[in-house]
């Protein structure tokens, strides 16, 4: 194994192959603190040639290669187990924007914020937005097919992709970076690599669509009694407003944690059982229309409305959830999809299950209501209760949902993939994996066990 580090040092230079534990430690634990591992070294390539060299060395020595972006993943997909090479994409930078085509070509290590800062100079932005925007890399968002808070209007990361450059597990460099809006000339590598969680290739660059930055936005934070009521409001809002771009929900437990951590006062009196956040974006938002809509809807208990820069103050209650939850423990993050009509029953089922069988576990349930994406975050799960995750995933399957809406399978859910994907389905995925990564060096233990 010392040979592997030596070979990497010969190719990359001594300083680029990091073994100092003071530096490597931050690459070995995931953002939640739940997944920890060990690695021979961390490498930080600056171009795709170096990535190709790293893949060659990993193949020759049968060493696992784990790709990591901003280390903001929530299912352990970028965390090594032991003995591998962590390849950080953080120095694969560079952004090139074509304003005619509204296309950005960028290195995989560019963060979402960096992309948006550059795009804003020409009045554009990336359509997908996630709360970890400061650290999350666009390459990582592609690898996990990140969904985020605007999926209801623009789709997820896959829908924004126009090209990819990747080094496959077999060492071949595939470059499809023309950034064409239309290209039906065979298999689409962008789609294949998107959501593959580092198991087929190392993504080195991507080409993505950009959209206009709207002139205005209006956000409403709404107190509601039930999730069914929240869904009724969402249905009416979708009928009423063509430019609805976010519909998020929160529950009292999560709002309480945010309040405790940030000592901020909830703007609507007592904390309600549930809260809904809706956002409209466009060049001509009529705030009055939103106010009238909220006043007339019988499921609205109370609401606060804010526009443009002030809207951040209302988003605060939703965006602080992840940080607040992590502050109060190491969560099990069960990010699931449920057909929207079943969300209310699903949440009630999970709450009753916990009350009856796992009284010490605290659930914080929130998510992207418009996409049917429910984030079930569990705190105080002891080792003796590990089967709880499985029980909830089995319930998700029985509701016709998916065990991963937007975070991926990672290491956290490998044992549960069979709940929602058939043996033929998984076998075909394995066939693809073996064809593109024959020595199985890329992210072993992620997606498949
Ligand atoms: C979110 O929607 O805030 C993210 O998916 C993160 C999370 O689940 O904590
Ligand atoms: Zn989310």
């Amino acid at each position: 194994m010392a040979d592997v580090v030596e070979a990497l040092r010969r190719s990359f230079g001594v300083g680029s192959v990091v073994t100092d534990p003071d530096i490597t430690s931050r690459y070995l634990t995931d953002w939640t603190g739940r997944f920890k591992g060990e690695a021979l070294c961390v490498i930080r390539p600056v171009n795709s040639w170096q990535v190709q060299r790293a893949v060659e060395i990993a193949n020759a020595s049968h060493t696992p290669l784990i790709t990591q972006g901003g280390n903001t993943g929530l299912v352990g997909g970028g965390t090594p187990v032991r003995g591998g090479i962590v390849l950080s994409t953080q120095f694969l930078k560079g952004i090139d924007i074509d304003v005619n085509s509204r296309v950005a070509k960028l290195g995989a290590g560019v963060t979402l914020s960096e992309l948006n800062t550059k795009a804003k100079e020409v009045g554009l932005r990336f359509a997908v937005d996630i709360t970890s925007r400061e650290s999350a890399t666009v390459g990582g968002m592609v690898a996990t097919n990140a969904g985020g808070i605007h999926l209801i209007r623009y789709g997820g990361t896959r829908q924004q992709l126009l090209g990819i450059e990747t080094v496959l597990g077999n060492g071949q460099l595939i470059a499809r970076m023309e950034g064409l809006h239309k290209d039906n000339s065979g298999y689409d590598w962008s789609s294949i690599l998107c959501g593959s969680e580092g198991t087929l290739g190392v993504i080195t660059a991507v080409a993505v669509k950009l959209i206009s930055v709207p002139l205005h936005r209006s956000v409403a934070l709404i107190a509601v009694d039930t999730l069914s009521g929240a869904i009724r409001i969402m249905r009416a809002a979708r009928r009423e407003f063509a430019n609805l771009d976010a519909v998020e929900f929160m529950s009292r437990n999560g709002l309480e944690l945010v309040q405790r951590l940030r000592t901020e006062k909830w703007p609507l009196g007592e904390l309600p059982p549930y809260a809904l956040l809706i956002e409209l974006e466009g060049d001509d938002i009529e705030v009055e229309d939103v106010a009238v809509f909220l006043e007339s809807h019988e499921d609205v208990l109370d609401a606060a409305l804010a526009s443009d820069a002030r809207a951040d103050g209302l988003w605060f209650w939703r965006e602080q959830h992840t940080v607040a939850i992590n502050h109060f423990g190491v969560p099990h993050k069960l990010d699931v999809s449920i057909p929207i009509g079943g969300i209310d029953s699903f949440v009630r089922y999970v709450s009753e299950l916990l009350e009856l069988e796992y009284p010490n576990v605290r659930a914080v349930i929130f998510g992207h209501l418009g996409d049917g994406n429910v984030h079930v975050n569990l705190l105080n799960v002891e080792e003796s209760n590990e089967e709880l995750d499985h029980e909830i995933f089995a319930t998700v399957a029985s509701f016709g949902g998916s065990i991963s809406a937007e975070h991926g399978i990672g290491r956290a859910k490998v044992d549960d993939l069979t709940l929602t994907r058939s043996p033929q389905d998984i076998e075909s995925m394995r066939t693809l994996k073996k064809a593109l990564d024959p020595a199985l060096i890329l992210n072993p233990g992620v997606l498949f066990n």
Side-chain angles (χ1 to χ4, degrees):
M1 286 300 164
D3 294 351
V4 175
V5 175
E6 257 327 292
L8 288 165
R9 284 197 169 132
R10 273 198 301 276
S11 293
F12 284 69
V14 175
S16 306
V17 181
V18 186
T19 51
D20 177 350
D22 284 346
I23 302 177
T24 56
S25 58
R26 68 172 181 269
Y27 298 88
L28 305 180
T29 302
D30 83 316
W31 191 87
T32 65
R34 181 177 171 198
F35 300 95
K36 295 184 173 66
E38 291 162 21
L40 292 175
C41 60
V42 176
I43 53 170
R44 299 181 285 193
V46 294
N47 57 39
S48 43
W49 178 85
Q50 286 190 333
V51 173
Q52 208 169 11
R53 188 70 197 114
V55 172
E56 266 168 36
I57 293 170
N59 266 307
S61 56
H62 291 274
T63 310
L65 187 76
I66 297 93
T67 309
Q68 195 178 98
N71 199 11
T72 55
L74 300 171
V75 287
T79 314
V81 179
R82 85 177 67 85
I85 304 162
V86 173
L87 185 156
S88 165
T89 59
Q90 71 192 107
F91 292 124
L92 296 171
K93 294 287 193 189
I95 310 173
D96 181 22
I97 295 178
D98 173 351
V99 284
N100 291 319
S101 308
R102 298 183 146 215
V103 172
K105 297 177 186 178
L106 55 141
V110 170
T111 64
L112 177 57
S113 280
E114 286 166 345
L115 171 59
N116 279 334
T117 303
K118 182 90 180 154
K120 201 173 170 200
E121 290 169 12
V122 287
L124 299 173
R125 69 155 205 236
F126 191 50
V128 179
D129 193 15
I130 54 179
T131 49
S132 52
R133 54 185 81 85
E134 296 299 329
S135 322
T137 60
V138 179
M141 291 173 72
V142 173
T144 53
N145 186 23
I149 50 189
H150 295 145
L151 188 134
I152 188 174
R153 183 155 176 195
Y154 304 109
T157 301
R158 183 174 280 118
Q159 283 74 39
Q160 320 307 321
L161 258 182
L162 295 176
I164 204 157
E165 183 189 79
T166 180
V167 178
L168 297 175
N170 60 18
Q172 285 180 2
L173 178 86
I174 305 281
R176 299 287 301 150
M177 286 291 290
E178 292 77 10
L180 300 172
H181 285 276
K182 284 188 157 179
D183 175 14
N184 272 355
S185 57
Y187 297 153
D188 178 20
W189 290 108
S190 313
S191 299
I192 295 170
L193 268 288
C194 186
S196 64
E197 301 186 52
T199 61
L200 301 177
V202 180
I203 297 169
T204 49
V206 291
V208 295
K209 288 182 214 169
L210 297 175
I211 58 167
S212 296
V213 177
L215 292 180
H216 300 293
R217 64 188 177 130
S218 213
V219 170
L221 188 62
I222 308 163
V224 287
D225 252 336
T226 62
L227 276 175
S228 309
I231 291 169
R232 280 192 293 272
I233 297 171
M234 172 175 78
R235 269 186 12 219
R238 290 187 95 166
R239 266 200 310 272
E240 189 88 8
F241 305 111
N243 43 13
L244 196 66
D245 78 329
V247 182
E248 302 282 317
F249 81 99
M250 296 146 268
S251 46
R252 189 184 274 141
N253 271 354
L255 295 171
E256 239 165 39
L257 292 188
V258 173
Q259 198 163 42
R260 256 170 66 198
L261 178 67
R262 299 296 187 206
T263 54
E264 190 81 15
K265 196 172 161 9
W266 171 251
L268 300 169
E270 292 286 292
L271 287 180
Y274 293 98
L276 184 68
L277 182 150
I278 61 172
E279 180 177 78
L280 282 75
E281 269 194 347
D283 290 349
D284 48 4
I285 303 285
E286 293 296 341
V287 183
E288 285 299 301
D289 293 350
V290 185
V292 169
F293 169 81
L294 294 170
E295 269 159 29
S296 65
H297 203 290
E298 59 183 18
D299 288 302
V300 175
L301 293 180
D302 201 354
L305 193 55
S307 293
D308 302 327
R310 286 171 179 271
D312 289 344
L314 300 184
W315 266 112
F316 167 91
W317 291 96
R318 168 63 181 85
E319 295 216 318
Q320 288 296 315
H321 268 63
T322 308
V323 171
I325 291 163
N326 246 67
H327 180 83
F328 292 104
V330 176
H332 282 214
K333 299 191 83 82
L334 316 186
D335 145 60
V336 303
S337 258
I338 301 288
I340 291 176
I343 288 181
D344 191 13
S345 318
F346 170 75
V347 169
R348 272 190 283 137
Y349 183 95
V350 170
S351 307
E352 273 169 34
L353 171 78
L354 296 178
E355 215 170 287
L356 292 175
E357 290 183 39
Y358 304 88
N360 295 329
V361 173
R362 176 155 200 200
V364 179
I365 299 183
F366 64 104
H368 315 282
L369 191 65
D371 321 331
N373 182 176
V374 182
H375 292 310
V376 181
N377 280 244
L378 303 175
L379 286 170
N380 308 336
V381 184
E382 286 155 24
E383 260 170 51
S384 56
N385 283 344
E386 292 274 340
E387 81 284 354
L388 170 60
D389 292 11
H390 176 75
E391 213 168 327
I392 294 180
F393 288 139
T395 308
V396 168
S398 70
F399 271 78
S402 167
I403 64 164
S404 173
E406 61 172 0
H407 295 171
I409 296 297
R411 299 186 191 290
K413 304 177 183 178
V414 272
D415 293 333
D416 293 297
L417 192 60
T418 50
L419 286 169
T420 53
R421 308 232 25 189
S422 71
Q424 298 81 347
D425 204 350
I426 294 176
E427 200 38 49
S428 301
M429 289 203 272
R430 281 186 193 279
T431 304
L432 181 64
K433 163 86 176 160
K434 283 183 211 150
L436 302 183
D437 177 24
L440 307 180
I441 51 153
L442 295 184
N443 255 6
V446 168
L447 198 50
F448 311 105
N449 55 19

